[in-house]
C-alpha cells in the first residue's frame, strides 16, 4: 500500500494558463475525492468519483474546472484560464467502497500559485 | 445544514501538558461519521480517529482520546502528555449519508507544543 500520490507537488503558472494535476489513489480504492484548501482554512470539497463515475460536484467547481477518472484508477483535475483566486492547495483523497465509514486517506497535495 | 465549528484557532502548550481540541458540529442526518485529521507542516492530512453517530463510547488510543456527546453535538479530541511532534493543524470533519459522501471540515486548530 503506497498511499495516495499527487503530481506535481508544486505548480507556478501565469494567469490565463491551463494547468492539470494528477492523483493516483490507494490501489483498490473505488472512491476518489478532490478538495481545495486555502491558507488558514480546512479542505473544501470539490468533486467525488465512484469508480469512473463523477457522482457529485460542488458549486465551487466552476466551468473552468474539470475532473476526470477515465478508467476508474487515477484522476486528473484541470483548471482552464487560471485566475489568481485559484491559488490554493489541491488535495486528493481516496476511500474504499467496502468501508461504511468512508474514511478518506489524503495525498500530499499540489500547491498551485497563479501569478 | 452540515457544519463543523472549531472555535479554537490556535493553542499553545508546553511539552507534557494535556491539550483538548474542541469541535462542534451540525447535521440533519441521523447516520453520520466524525473524524479528526492532523496536518503537520509537511502539508499531508493524516487520519487519526473516527466515530460513528451510533457509538458514543469514548475511547483512548495511546496518547489520543476523544469525547463524543450527541446531546451537545460535540466531538472533542485530547492529546495526553503532548510532544513537540504533535505541533500541527488539527481538523475535525463530518460526513453525512444524506447528500452523498461529501465530507465537511472545520477551519482547523493550530497546536503549538513548546519544548
Amino acid at each position: 500500500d503506497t498511499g495516495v500520490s499527487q503530481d506535481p507537488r508544486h505548480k507556478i503558472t501565469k494567469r490565463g494558463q491551463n494547468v492539470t494535476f494528477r492523483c493516483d489513489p490507494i490501489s483498490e480504492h473505488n472512491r476518489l475525492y478532490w478538495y481545495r484548501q486555502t491558507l488558514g482554512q480546512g479542505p473544501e470539497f470539490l468533486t467525488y468519483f465512484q469508480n469512473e463515475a463523477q457522482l457529485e460536484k460542488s458549486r465551487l467547481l466552476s466551468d473552468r474546472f474539470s475532473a476526470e477518472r477515465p478508467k476508474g484508477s487515477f484522476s486528473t483535475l484541470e483548471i482552464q484560464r487560471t485566475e489568481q483566486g485559484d491559488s490554493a492547495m489541491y488535495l486528493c483523497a481516496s476511500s474504499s467502497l467496502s468501508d461504511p465509514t468512508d474514511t478518506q486517506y489524503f495525498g500530499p497535495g499540489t500547491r498551485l500559485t497563479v501569478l | 445544514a452540515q457544519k463543523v465549528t472549531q472555535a479554537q484557532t490556535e493553542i499553545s502548550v508546553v511539552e507534557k501538558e494535556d491539550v483538548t481540541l474542541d469541535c462542534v458540529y451540525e447535521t440533519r442526518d441521523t447516520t453520520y461519521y466524525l473524524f479528526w485529521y492532523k496536518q503537520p507542516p509537511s502539508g499531508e492530512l493524516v487520519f487519526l480517529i473516527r466515530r460513528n453517530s451510533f457509538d458514543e463510547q469514548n475511547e483512548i488510543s495511546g496518547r489520543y482520546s476523544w469525547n463524543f456527546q450527541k446531546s451537545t453535538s460535540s466531538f472533542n479530541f485530547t492529546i495526553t502528555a503532548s510532544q513537540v511532534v504533535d505541533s500541527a493543524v488539527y481538523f475535525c470533519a463530518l460526513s453525512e449519508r444524506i447528500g452523498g459522501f461529501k465530507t465537511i471540515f472545520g477551519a482547523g486548530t493550530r497546536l503549538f507544543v513548546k519544548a
Side-chain angles (χ1 to χ4, degrees):
Chain A
D1 184 351
T2 58
V4 179
S5 61
Q6 292 186 246
D7 184 68
R9 294 291 305 276
H10 303 274
K11 179 70 178 179
I12 300 174
T13 191
K14 293 181 179 178
R15 190 177 52 172
Q17 298 294 305
N18 298 344
V19 294
T20 300
F21 309 142
R22 175 178 171 127
C23 170
D24 287 86
I26 292 172
S27 58
E28 299 172 358
H29 272 191
N30 320 85
R31 296 188 182 132
L32 187 146
Y33 305 79
W34 285 100
Y35 291 84
R36 182 173 68 186
Q37 186 179 22
T38 53
L39 207 59
Q41 299 298 315
E44 296 175 290
F45 170 83
L46 291 178
T47 190
Y48 146 63
F49 290 86
Q50 184 163 300
N51 298 312
E52 65 275 8
Q54 188 173 21
L55 296 186
E56 190 168 348
K57 292 194 296 186
S58 165
R59 284 172 291 179
L60 291 174
L61 213 65
S62 77
D63 55 7
R64 296 186 297 105
F65 287 69
S66 62
E68 295 183 344
R69 194 183 184 198
K71 297 180 180 179
S73 56
F74 73 91
S75 174
T76 58
L77 177 68
E78 181 183 15
I79 309 174
Q80 296 181 327
R81 305 180 303 282
T82 52
E83 302 173 357
Q84 288 185 326
D86 297 331
S87 295
M89 176 78 87
Y90 290 84
L91 296 166
C92 177
S94 70
S95 66
S96 172
L97 197 58
S98 62
D99 177 6
T101 72
D102 190 43
T103 299
Q104 296 173 32
Y105 297 88
F106 283 80
T110 295
R111 183 170 295 284
L112 172 66
T113 302
V114 181
L115 302 176
Chain B
Q2 194 183 25
K3 187 178 178 182
V4 176
T5 302
Q6 294 180 253
Q8 303 152 307
T9 305
E10 288 187 1
I11 298 177
S12 184
V13 298
V14 176
E15 205 170 21
K16 298 184 183 178
E17 285 185 5
D18 299 347
V19 58
T20 295
L21 309 180
D22 298 335
C23 174
V24 175
Y25 62 92
E26 293 178 27
T27 177
R28 347 157 246 180
D29 205 347
T30 55
T31 301
Y32 53 89
Y33 299 91
L34 295 161
F35 305 84
W36 277 96
Y37 284 85
K38 173 183 180 181
Q39 189 172 42
S42 61
E44 185 166 340
L45 275 159
V46 178
F47 163 71
L48 296 177
I49 59 172
R50 66 174 167 243
R51 179 58 68 200
N52 74 58
S53 53
F54 297 108
D55 185 359
E56 286 192 72
Q57 184 176 2
N58 297 313
E59 291 188 19
I60 298 174
S61 175
R63 294 188 299 109
Y64 299 154
S65 62
W66 50 97
N67 186 339
F68 174 36
Q69 293 192 352
K70 288 179 74 171
S71 59
T72 56
S73 297
S74 65
F75 184 51
N76 298 336
F77 175 62
T78 298
I79 302 173
T80 303
S82 59
Q83 301 174 2
V84 172
V85 293
D86 295 328
S87 297
V89 181
Y90 290 82
F91 292 97
C92 179
L94 165 69
S95 181
E96 296 178 329
R97 297 306 90 184
I98 290 177
F101 294 89
K102 184 170 55 179
T103 298
I104 300 298
F105 287 79
T109 297
R110 182 174 296 278
L111 174 64
F112 295 97
V113 181
K114 296 178 287 188

